[in-house]
Amino acid sequence: MRRYLYLWHRWLGIGLCLFMALWFFSGMVMLYVGYPKLTPREHLAHLPTLSLQDSYVDLDTALRSADAERNPASIRLSQVAGMPRYLFSYSGRASVAVDAGSGQRLPPIDREQALASARQYDPEATASYRGAVNEDLWSHSRALDAERPLQRVQLDDAERTLLYISGNTGEVVRDASAMERGWNLVGAWLHWLYPLRGIGVDGLWSNLVIYLSLAGTLMALLGAVIGILRWRLRKPYRSGSRSPYRGVARWHHIGGLLFGVLAISWVFSGLMSMNPWKLFSSSAPLNVSAYQGAPLTAAAFPLSAADALARFDQQGFKARELEWRLIGGAGYLIGHEGAGRTRVLSMADGQVLERLPLEVLERAAQAILPQGRMHSEQLEAYDFYYYARAEQSMLGHLEKRLPVLRVRVDDPQQTWLHLDLYTGEVLGVLDQPRRVSRWLFSLLHSWDWLPLLQQRPLWDAWMIAFSLGGLVLSVSGVVLGWRRLSK
């Protein structure tokens, strides 16, 4: 039986140790340089303030121009390429832009529009057009699907920023500095095996990552068993050592004993990140559409964009973007400022609020499950299921402000909702499978454990030390595999 353990571990290792080494090395890079993205704060920082002097067509006109037959999932007013535009997103469809001055739906973005958007993003930099792409190295994210094709513009700023501009609306939807692009070649792009994409195997990419991770987990488990079996606690080997190996093999043996458990947990949690075989997909997910209370139409918003901007301005709030939102059937206009601050304008009484009343959110949440019981609590501090991450991390761009309202729904999946008191947005829907994923992926893979995460650089030292241990273990495995194949 032992012989088969050794054979399985050896041949799995020959095939997989190089992947393991790449995962450990690229994982360390990802601690500090994430895959390129445009965060909400970056987006707002590069927008000019919406002008009080501009004339804006009414929302009903803009909606009819965008798509008279479909209700949008979101509506925003923003400055794009130097002009105000209504921006509409639709579930499963391309985004649409409407000129806020004329009310005309805009055609697909061309070269000149892309350059104008880049000049708004950075008026001081010279912009060079780099053509349109559907998808490339830095735009694999599914979040960009509604904006494709993407127009690329290179800036000559200090960061050598490459901009990706929506081919449908003209918005800048991603920025990638030269440093991000360079480090990501050995960071996230390598870690997620993105080199396998764009070469004709895109449809197989997910399964390739899943089964490589599964094989890696099995290999690491077998190695841990063999390592324990070969280590002598009582009687040393003739050499006086408790390990029978020498040289690189000895490094591999001892490295496995020291770092094997973490290696197993990291490759296993990486497997869990792919949601293999839909393990974390609920069989009966809670439908939260009733939280909005009605389709997003102009009827719920009697105040115009110009009136809203004037009321925000009276409060000393300079809005750079407006967002129309329905909460429990009631209309609210959310104003976004450059520093990430928000204000809420109620359509019911015209009041400008810093935060929405708790009862408004609780009443809207109750509409999701009218006959069900709900328990709500206001969180004043982060906890295991609601916390912020560094901007460069995979989900670090998501705003996690405090306080936040947590609503526990008594549905079959015991779903939790996190509701933003500042905007009314549903920040997260956590049912039982997703809470399990929080343990098996986020905790095991990036050590999102608050007592450690909030004590940097202790978290950094922990992650780097054990990543280096895993790298030594993997590289020594590569050397041993190469020697075996060379015989």
Side-chain angles (χ1 to χ4, degrees), residues 260-275:
V261 172
L262 275 169
I264 293 167
S265 70
W266 263 325
V267 69
F268 171 75
S269 56
L271 167 64
M272 294 298 101
S273 74
M274 299 298 294
N275 188 17

PDB file of all heavy atoms in Angstrom, residues 260-275:
ATOM      1  N   GLY A 260       3.215  21.624   5.223  1.00  0.00           N
ATOM      2  CA  GLY A 260       2.287  20.795   4.462  1.00  0.00           C
ATOM      3  C   GLY A 260       0.828  21.088   4.740  1.00  0.00           C
ATOM      4  O   GLY A 260       0.010  21.137   3.807  1.00  0.00           O
ATOM      5  N   VAL A 261       0.477  21.294   6.005  1.00  0.00           N
ATOM      6  CA  VAL A 261      -0.927  21.554   6.349  1.00  0.00           C
ATOM      7  C   VAL A 261      -1.415  22.842   5.691  1.00  0.00           C
ATOM      8  O   VAL A 261      -2.523  22.902   5.131  1.00  0.00           O
ATOM      9  CB  VAL A 261      -1.111  21.620   7.877  1.00  0.00           C
ATOM     10  CG1 VAL A 261      -2.533  22.075   8.219  1.00  0.00           C
ATOM     11  CG2 VAL A 261      -0.826  20.266   8.507  1.00  0.00           C
ATOM     12  N   LEU A 262      -0.569  23.888   5.732  1.00  0.00           N
ATOM     13  CA  LEU A 262      -0.970  25.140   5.090  1.00  0.00           C
ATOM     14  C   LEU A 262      -1.005  24.998   3.576  1.00  0.00           C
ATOM     15  O   LEU A 262      -1.864  25.575   2.914  1.00  0.00           O
ATOM     16  CB  LEU A 262      -0.009  26.262   5.487  1.00  0.00           C
ATOM     17  CG  LEU A 262      -0.357  26.947   6.815  1.00  0.00           C
ATOM     18  CD1 LEU A 262       0.771  27.842   7.264  1.00  0.00           C
ATOM     19  CD2 LEU A 262      -1.636  27.757   6.672  1.00  0.00           C
ATOM     20  N   ALA A 263      -0.084  24.212   3.015  1.00  0.00           N
ATOM     21  CA  ALA A 263      -0.112  23.981   1.569  1.00  0.00           C
ATOM     22  C   ALA A 263      -1.417  23.299   1.170  1.00  0.00           C
ATOM     23  O   ALA A 263      -2.047  23.663   0.166  1.00  0.00           O
ATOM     24  CB  ALA A 263       1.086  23.134   1.144  1.00  0.00           C
ATOM     25  N   ILE A 264      -1.830  22.324   1.967  1.00  0.00           N
ATOM     26  CA  ILE A 264      -3.096  21.635   1.692  1.00  0.00           C
ATOM     27  C   ILE A 264      -4.263  22.616   1.782  1.00  0.00           C
ATOM     28  O   ILE A 264      -5.134  22.659   0.911  1.00  0.00           O
ATOM     29  CB  ILE A 264      -3.304  20.469   2.680  1.00  0.00           C
ATOM     30  CG1 ILE A 264      -2.267  19.384   2.448  1.00  0.00           C
ATOM     31  CG2 ILE A 264      -4.707  19.882   2.537  1.00  0.00           C
ATOM     32  CD1 ILE A 264      -2.197  18.361   3.568  1.00  0.00           C
ATOM     33  N   SER A 265      -4.261  23.428   2.835  1.00  0.00           N
ATOM     34  CA  SER A 265      -5.383  24.358   3.026  1.00  0.00           C
ATOM     35  C   SER A 265      -5.431  25.406   1.916  1.00  0.00           C
ATOM     36  O   SER A 265      -6.512  25.791   1.460  1.00  0.00           O
ATOM     37  CB  SER A 265      -5.296  25.039   4.397  1.00  0.00           C
ATOM     38  OG  SER A 265      -4.219  25.956   4.443  1.00  0.00           O
ATOM     39  N   TRP A 266      -4.265  25.860   1.446  1.00  0.00           N
ATOM     40  CA  TRP A 266      -4.250  26.884   0.406  1.00  0.00           C
ATOM     41  C   TRP A 266      -4.730  26.339  -0.938  1.00  0.00           C
ATOM     42  O   TRP A 266      -5.517  26.975  -1.630  1.00  0.00           O
ATOM     43  CB  TRP A 266      -2.864  27.503   0.276  1.00  0.00           C
ATOM     44  CG  TRP A 266      -2.759  28.789   1.049  1.00  0.00           C
ATOM     45  CD1 TRP A 266      -3.730  29.721   1.228  1.00  0.00           C
ATOM     46  CD2 TRP A 266      -1.614  29.276   1.766  1.00  0.00           C
ATOM     47  NE1 TRP A 266      -3.278  30.762   2.006  1.00  0.00           N
ATOM     48  CE2 TRP A 266      -1.981  30.521   2.350  1.00  0.00           C
ATOM     49  CE3 TRP A 266      -0.333  28.802   1.975  1.00  0.00           C
ATOM     50  CZ2 TRP A 266      -1.111  31.283   3.104  1.00  0.00           C
ATOM     51  CZ3 TRP A 266       0.539  29.567   2.724  1.00  0.00           C
ATOM     52  CH2 TRP A 266       0.162  30.788   3.289  1.00  0.00           C
ATOM     53  N   VAL A 267      -4.243  25.174  -1.325  1.00  0.00           N
ATOM     54  CA  VAL A 267      -4.662  24.648  -2.627  1.00  0.00           C
ATOM     55  C   VAL A 267      -6.128  24.197  -2.568  1.00  0.00           C
ATOM     56  O   VAL A 267      -6.883  24.374  -3.524  1.00  0.00           O
ATOM     57  CB  VAL A 267      -3.728  23.513  -3.107  1.00  0.00           C
ATOM     58  CG1 VAL A 267      -3.878  22.269  -2.275  1.00  0.00           C
ATOM     59  CG2 VAL A 267      -3.982  23.197  -4.589  1.00  0.00           C
ATOM     60  N   PHE A 268      -6.556  23.666  -1.420  1.00  0.00           N
ATOM     61  CA  PHE A 268      -7.956  23.273  -1.272  1.00  0.00           C
ATOM     62  C   PHE A 268      -8.875  24.491  -1.298  1.00  0.00           C
ATOM     63  O   PHE A 268      -9.921  24.488  -1.969  1.00  0.00           O
ATOM     64  CB  PHE A 268      -8.143  22.503   0.040  1.00  0.00           C
ATOM     65  CG  PHE A 268      -9.584  22.232   0.383  1.00  0.00           C
ATOM     66  CD1 PHE A 268     -10.299  21.255  -0.295  1.00  0.00           C
ATOM     67  CD2 PHE A 268     -10.229  22.957   1.376  1.00  0.00           C
ATOM     68  CE1 PHE A 268     -11.634  21.008   0.002  1.00  0.00           C
ATOM     69  CE2 PHE A 268     -11.556  22.725   1.686  1.00  0.00           C
ATOM     70  CZ  PHE A 268     -12.256  21.739   1.001  1.00  0.00           C
ATOM     71  N   SER A 269      -8.499  25.559  -0.588  1.00  0.00           N
ATOM     72  CA  SER A 269      -9.340  26.759  -0.575  1.00  0.00           C
ATOM     73  C   SER A 269      -9.333  27.448  -1.932  1.00  0.00           C
ATOM     74  O   SER A 269     -10.325  28.070  -2.330  1.00  0.00           O
ATOM     75  CB  SER A 269      -8.885  27.725   0.518  1.00  0.00           C
ATOM     76  OG  SER A 269      -7.515  28.072   0.362  1.00  0.00           O
ATOM     77  N   GLY A 270      -8.215  27.323  -2.681  1.00  0.00           N
ATOM     78  CA  GLY A 270      -8.206  27.819  -4.052  1.00  0.00           C
ATOM     79  C   GLY A 270      -9.214  27.074  -4.906  1.00  0.00           C
ATOM     80  O   GLY A 270      -9.903  27.663  -5.744  1.00  0.00           O
ATOM     81  N   LEU A 271      -9.313  25.764  -4.686  1.00  0.00           N
ATOM     82  CA  LEU A 271     -10.338  24.963  -5.363  1.00  0.00           C
ATOM     83  C   LEU A 271     -11.729  25.471  -4.996  1.00  0.00           C
ATOM     84  O   LEU A 271     -12.603  25.619  -5.856  1.00  0.00           O
ATOM     85  CB  LEU A 271     -10.169  23.495  -4.968  1.00  0.00           C
ATOM     86  CG  LEU A 271     -11.297  22.526  -5.317  1.00  0.00           C
ATOM     87  CD1 LEU A 271     -11.458  22.402  -6.827  1.00  0.00           C
ATOM     88  CD2 LEU A 271     -11.045  21.153  -4.692  1.00  0.00           C
ATOM     89  N   MET A 272     -11.952  25.760  -3.716  1.00  0.00           N
ATOM     90  CA  MET A 272     -13.262  26.233  -3.265  1.00  0.00           C
ATOM     91  C   MET A 272     -13.625  27.587  -3.870  1.00  0.00           C
ATOM     92  O   MET A 272     -14.808  27.912  -4.038  1.00  0.00           O
ATOM     93  CB  MET A 272     -13.292  26.344  -1.733  1.00  0.00           C
ATOM     94  CG  MET A 272     -13.183  25.007  -1.006  1.00  0.00           C
ATOM     95  SD  MET A 272     -14.559  23.868  -1.373  1.00  0.00           S
ATOM     96  CE  MET A 272     -13.775  22.757  -2.568  1.00  0.00           C
ATOM     97  N   SER A 273     -12.616  28.395  -4.227  1.00  0.00           N
ATOM     98  CA  SER A 273     -12.899  29.713  -4.822  1.00  0.00           C
ATOM     99  C   SER A 273     -13.610  29.599  -6.156  1.00  0.00           C
ATOM    100  O   SER A 273     -14.267  30.538  -6.607  1.00  0.00           O
ATOM    101  CB  SER A 273     -11.602  30.500  -5.001  1.00  0.00           C
ATOM    102  OG  SER A 273     -10.835  29.983  -6.082  1.00  0.00           O
ATOM    103  N   MET A 274     -13.476  28.451  -6.810  1.00  0.00           N
ATOM    104  CA  MET A 274     -14.093  28.247  -8.119  1.00  0.00           C
ATOM    105  C   MET A 274     -15.537  27.750  -8.010  1.00  0.00           C
ATOM    106  O   MET A 274     -16.175  27.502  -9.028  1.00  0.00           O
ATOM    107  CB  MET A 274     -13.268  27.236  -8.918  1.00  0.00           C
ATOM    108  CG  MET A 274     -11.836  27.660  -9.178  1.00  0.00           C
ATOM    109  SD  MET A 274     -11.752  29.182 -10.158  1.00  0.00           S
ATOM    110  CE  MET A 274     -12.450  28.634 -11.716  1.00  0.00           C
ATOM    111  N   ASN A 275     -16.038  27.605  -6.788  1.00  0.00           N
ATOM    112  CA  ASN A 275     -17.386  27.064  -6.570  1.00  0.00           C
ATOM    113  C   ASN A 275     -17.574  25.782  -7.382  1.00  0.00           C
ATOM    114  O   ASN A 275     -18.485  25.678  -8.215  1.00  0.00           O
ATOM    115  CB  ASN A 275     -18.454  28.085  -6.950  1.00  0.00           C
ATOM    116  CG  ASN A 275     -19.861  27.643  -6.559  1.00  0.00           C
ATOM    117  OD1 ASN A 275     -20.040  26.743  -5.735  1.00  0.00           O
ATOM    118  ND2 ASN A 275     -20.868  28.253  -7.159  1.00  0.00           N
TER     119      ASN A 275
END
